[in-house]
């Protein structure tokens, strides 16, 4: 039987690249007990063999517990030509001074490098993994480093996909390991502090940082709770006010189009939510606003959507429309609850399938006995943009 395929998360793909090229120690081959691990989700939990693929489906590696076998070199992403292996860096730039870079270099940093280089070539090691660059996107960090390299002269930029794992101590340890592995000579750590940037670097920062990041407003709740009504009211209000690009991803509309053919099984419902999340994250990546209103009953899938949006640089606002089941069933505009009670609809959320109440919602809204305008006010109060 062929190995199950798994497309790792952006962080896992960054880890995979460094494990395969030697940037991370081989003993951390996604060991379940190690700091760098795979989290393929419940459907693949317990698998003893996985084929790891890139977002386009290209097999990159075969994983078994404690072992990774390379199948291909990652070929996706901007500045791929700068993603050299440690062996290539040490061979090409022997004796160079290596400067790890996690934030745009300031004028003070450039002066420190100039003082320390003593005539040597310099390698700016741009740490561009998911969550690592500070105050700038991964692509922006490479562009800012290239601008700094041009000012320094005799300086090369190398990109290393060192991801953040949400643990400062672990991230520091892995950063030291990756830097030591790549460095062909001495290492110089610069402060990265201050706001005095050379104009060429400042121009990159200004073009990279949007004034307003993208936002995903994600309504979740039982059928008949008022999710779609509130989502439509918010959409209308944003359009009336102007100044924002906004897209609605209503659960029923997505079902008829993006997710046509899916059933209402637990697996298919989760697939539907992940599809909504992926589209919403792409909208946020391009600084738009996405308003989503599926039932989204399972916490694990909502967390996956939150991670997609965060990884895309967007802000995620979870709105729990917490109208009680009794009120939702009383409304029953589509007759779904009656059919569910009669056994005509299996796995119906709230009746024969569970709803995981969110513990991480930005706001909880009960629409019972309230006007749309009144309930919408609760949502507007937590939005990260003005209306």
């Amino acid at each position: 039987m062929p190995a199950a395929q798994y497309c790792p998360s952006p962080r896992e793909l960054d880890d995979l690249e460094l494990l395969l090229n030697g940037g991370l120690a081989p003993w951390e081959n996604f060991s379940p007990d190690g700091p760098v691990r795979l989290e393929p989700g419940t459907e693949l939990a317990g698998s003893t063999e996985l084929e790891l693929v890139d977002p386009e489906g290209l097999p990159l590696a075969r994983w078994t517990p404690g072992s990774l076998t390379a199948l291909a070199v990652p070929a996706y992403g901007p500045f791929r030509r700068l993603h050299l292996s440690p062996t290539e860096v040490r061979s090409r730039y022997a004796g160079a001074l290596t400067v790890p870079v996690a934030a745009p270099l300031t004028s003070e940093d450039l002066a420190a490098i100039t003082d320390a280089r003593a005539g040597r070539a310099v390698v700016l090691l741009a740490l561009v993994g998911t969550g690592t660059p500070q105050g700038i996107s991964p692509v922006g960090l490479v562009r800012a480093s290239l601008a700094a390299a041009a000012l320094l002269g005799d300086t090369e930029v190398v990109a290393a996909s060192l991801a953040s794992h949400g643990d400062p101590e672990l991230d520091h340890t892995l950063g030291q390991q990756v830097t030591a592995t790549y460095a062909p000579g001495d290492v110089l750590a610069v402060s990265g502090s201050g706001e005095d940037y050379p104009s060429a670097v400042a121009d990159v920062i200004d073009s990279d940082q949007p004034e307003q990041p993208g936002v995903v407003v994600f309504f979740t709740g039982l059928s008949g709770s008022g999710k779609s009504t509130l989502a439509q009211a918010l959409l209308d209000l944003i359009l009336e006010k102007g100044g924002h690009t906004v897209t609605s991803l209503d659960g029923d509309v997505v079902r008829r189009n993006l997710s046509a053919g899916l059933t209402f099984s637990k697996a298919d419902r989760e697939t539907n939510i992940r599809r909504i999340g992926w589209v919403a994250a792409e909208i946020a990546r391009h600084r738009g606003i996405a308003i989503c209103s599926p039932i989204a009953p399972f916490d694990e899938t909502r967390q996956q959507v939150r991670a997609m949006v965060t990884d895309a640089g967007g802000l995620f606002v979870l709105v729990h429309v917490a109208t009680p089941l009794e009120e939702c069933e009383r409304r029953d505009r589509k007759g779904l609850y009656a059919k569910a009670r009669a056994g005509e609809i299996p796995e119906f959320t709230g009746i024969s399938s569970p709803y995981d109440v969110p513990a991480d919602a930005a706001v909880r809204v009960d629409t019972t006995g309230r006007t749309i305008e009144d309930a919408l006010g609760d949502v507007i109060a937590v939005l990260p943009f003005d209306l």
Side-chain angles (χ1 to χ4, degrees):
M1 179 181 295
Q5 281 197 338
Y6 171 57
C7 180
S9 68
R11 176 191 60 75
E12 291 168 341
L13 283 171
D14 292 336
D15 291 340
L16 176 62
E17 180 172 338
L18 291 180
L19 286 169
L20 293 178
N21 75 12
L24 284 174
W27 55 265
E28 291 174 351
N29 282 335
F30 290 131
S31 165
D33 300 323
V36 177
R37 60 177 71 93
L38 285 175
E39 297 176 354
T42 55
E43 70 275 10
L44 295 175
S47 297
T48 57
E49 184 176 5
L50 292 173
E51 186 176 71
L52 308 181
V53 300
D54 74 7
E56 295 182 354
L58 174 68
L60 298 176
R62 187 173 299 274
W63 172 88
T64 58
S67 175
L68 272 177
T69 302
L71 299 177
V73 176
Y76 52 86
F79 294 115
R80 176 50 48 185
R81 65 188 180 278
L82 301 181
H83 285 254
L84 306 179
S85 70
T87 299
E88 290 173 316
V89 174
R90 292 194 299 269
S91 174
R92 293 187 190 184
Y93 310 124
L97 176 68
T98 299
V99 181
V101 179
L105 294 173
T106 64
S107 296
E108 181 180 332
D109 294 332
L110 296 189
I113 295 170
T114 299
D115 290 343
R117 68 189 302 176
R120 291 173 290 181
V122 173
V123 170
L124 301 180
L125 183 63
L127 304 176
V128 295
T130 302
T132 294
Q134 302 165 17
I136 197 168
S137 71
V139 172
L141 182 62
V142 175
R143 293 176 58 231
S145 298
L146 288 169
L151 296 172
L152 288 167
D154 194 18
T155 299
E156 302 293 339
V157 175
V158 172
S161 298
L162 176 66
S164 170
H165 295 78
D167 181 334
E169 184 176 349
L170 171 62
D171 289 340
H172 179 69
T173 298
L174 294 178
Q176 287 185 316
Q177 177 185 320
V178 168
T179 300
T181 304
Y182 271 86
D186 294 336
V187 174
L188 173 68
V190 294
S191 67
S193 60
E195 297 291 335
D196 180 21
Y197 297 104
S199 60
V201 175
D203 288 345
V204 173
I205 297 172
D206 290 342
S207 67
D208 181 76
Q209 295 179 338
E211 294 183 4
Q212 174 66 51
V215 179
V216 173
V217 184
F218 195 94
F219 291 85
T220 176
L222 299 174
S223 177
S225 61
K227 301 181 307 300
S228 295
T229 301
L230 285 175
Q232 183 63 51
L234 178 60
L235 174 69
D236 292 346
L237 181 60
I238 293 173
L239 291 173
E240 289 173 7
K241 295 288 186 179
H244 298 282
T245 300
V246 60
T247 302
S248 172
L249 296 171
D250 178 77
D252 291 335
V253 175
V254 170
R255 273 277 178 184
R256 288 195 298 272
N257 296 279
L258 185 64
S259 294
L262 292 183
T263 69
F264 285 88
S265 68
K266 183 177 187 295
D268 278 3
R269 281 185 287 169
E270 289 180 302
T271 297
N272 179 53
I273 300 306
R274 283 192 291 269
R275 288 180 181 179
I276 291 173
W278 184 85
V279 173
E282 289 304 300
I283 291 170
R285 187 189 304 279
H286 297 285
R287 309 177 192 177
I289 297 172
I291 300 175
C292 311
S293 52
I295 293 174
F298 305 118
D299 179 69
E300 180 182 5
T301 320
R302 294 194 300 259
Q303 295 300 332
Q304 290 172 350
V305 173
R306 181 186 289 273
M308 290 180 196
V309 174
T310 301
D311 290 344
L315 302 178
F316 184 79
V317 179
L318 183 64
V319 178
H320 178 204
V321 184
T323 307
L325 173 62
E326 295 77 11
E327 175 64 16
C328 296
E329 192 165 0
R330 184 192 67 79
R331 296 172 181 175
D332 202 15
R333 292 188 305 162
K334 302 175 184 177
L336 299 177
Y337 282 98
K339 292 181 179 179
R341 291 291 186 188
E344 297 176 23
I345 303 178
E347 296 191 80
F348 189 83
T349 301
I351 303 299
S352 52
S353 183
Y355 176 82
D356 298 336
V357 176
D360 58 344
V363 65
R364 180 179 179 274
V365 183
D366 182 348
T367 64
T368 305
R370 302 176 69 184
T371 66
I372 295 173
E373 293 76 14
D374 181 46
L376 184 60
D378 293 351
V379 178
I380 293 172
V382 300
L383 295 178
F385 53 86
D386 295 328
L387 282 176

